[in-house]
Amino acid sequence: MTLPLIVDDRGTLQVAASDVSKLLRTVGGRWLRLVEAGEETLDEDTVAALTIELAKLADRIDVACIAHSSGQSS
């Protein structure tokens, strides 16, 4: 895995992995709040499943960042 997560063709950081992880968790949290507020256009089970998958992806990114910063390869 290459960190930082998103770089341009010159190797310049565009988006840090930690920002992507935070974004994934924020999107999931907002979807859940919409469902809890009674948003009828969202299916509760689908939102729950997608939120779980986003959190899993964020967790994998976080773990990779930790491993990278501690000098471990994964």
Side-chain angles (χ1 to χ4, degrees):
M1 175 170 285
T2 301
L3 296 175
L5 191 60
I6 300 174
V7 295
D8 65 17
D9 58 350
R10 293 172 295 171
T12 304
L13 174 65
Q14 298 298 310
V15 179
S18 59
D19 292 339
V20 174
S21 176
K22 181 179 177 181
L23 175 65
L24 293 171
R25 294 180 198 286
T26 299
V27 168
R30 288 185 180 171
W31 285 345
L32 289 175
R33 284 191 292 282
L34 287 171
V35 168
E36 291 167 357
E39 177 62 51
E40 296 178 13
T41 60
L42 297 174
D43 177 72
E44 185 175 349
D45 292 336
T46 302
V47 168
L50 289 171
T51 299
I52 288 168
E53 292 306 314
L54 289 177
K56 286 179 183 177
L57 178 56
D59 288 346
R60 288 196 304 268
I61 292 169
D62 290 344
V63 168
C65 288
I66 292 167
H68 180 78
S69 66
S70 68
Q72 299 175 3
S73 61
S74 50

